[in-house]
Amino acid sequence: LALGVAREAGDLLVRGRAGQVAAESTKSSPTDVVTALDRASEELVGRRLREARPGDGILGEEGADDAGTSGVRWIVDPLDGTVNFLYNLPNWAVSIAAEIDGQVVAGVVHAPAMGATYTAALGDGSARNGVALAGSAVTDLSGALVATGFGYTVERRIAQVAVLTRVVPRVRDIRRMGAASLDLCAAAAGLVDAYYERGLHPWDHAAGALVAAEAGLRVGGLHGRPLSNDLVIAAPQALFGQLHDLLAADPPADRE
Ligand code: IPD
């Protein structure tokens, strides 16, 4: 269901992208834009999921928040990478995850402009376009290409740049590609060696974190805690501790 709905929303966005795309309004800051197509995509995804499974809950980036009655909740980013979409850069995706009693059990990250569709089911592995994923074999952080991202508020960005000054000298290089769901999938696919970011919302990471975990990556937060708004790290087992310790060394001022 997630795959079919993500493809339908992806088609809507591809058609919309062929026309005029403009930032319609802003959310948390002037750089946090939303287009009419973000909303149209969420409306379509919500409608399709409700038609198929009327008792389920839905949490969506553009406002859907319904607990449902079935124990199943869908977590939807109808357009992750909105700024890329606005600039016609290909790194954007529709991200749909299903959780049962709070545990994500299925995830799809569909990126039509990249020709990539990532899928995962709990205990069943993850794949890109049907080909199984296994992450990177790099074992030393100094040789790791690390993806990250920045939030939209000035305060968050100042803190994130402070963290970056500690990370950049210790890694091969940094990538900021602009869609958290796809960053997690890139780590799952070994297109980057690891990924971390502060300040993500459930819709940013729900599907991509399952794709990464099912590719064998360790996905978590600080000090053994699960991933959260505070921090998401996705890395092969051999890199996780090294990256974690580097990030954990930051003073509390680096976190909001
Ligand atoms: C954003 C992207 C970005 C990440 C931000 C997210 P949006 O989502 O995933 O890569 O750094 O934290 O908010 O606004 O494009 O859906």
Side-chain angles (χ1 to χ4, degrees), residues 136 138-142 144 193-194 235-244:
S136 156
V138 167
T139 55
D140 194 320
L141 193 61
S142 65
D193 298 305
Q237 297 289 341
L239 291 178
F240 188 97
Q242 299 168 59
L243 184 55
H244 169 278

Side-chain angles (χ1 to χ4, degrees), residues 134-136 184 187-188 193-196 208-227 232-245:
S136 156
L184 284 157
D193 298 305
Y195 165 71
Y196 78 92
L210 184 65
V211 172
E214 286 295 326
L217 273 64
R218 183 165 166 197
V219 181
L222 287 177
H223 309 298
R225 293 195 288 270
L227 84 183
V232 175
I233 305 173
Q237 297 289 341
L239 291 178
F240 188 97
Q242 299 168 59
L243 184 55
H244 169 278
D245 293 351

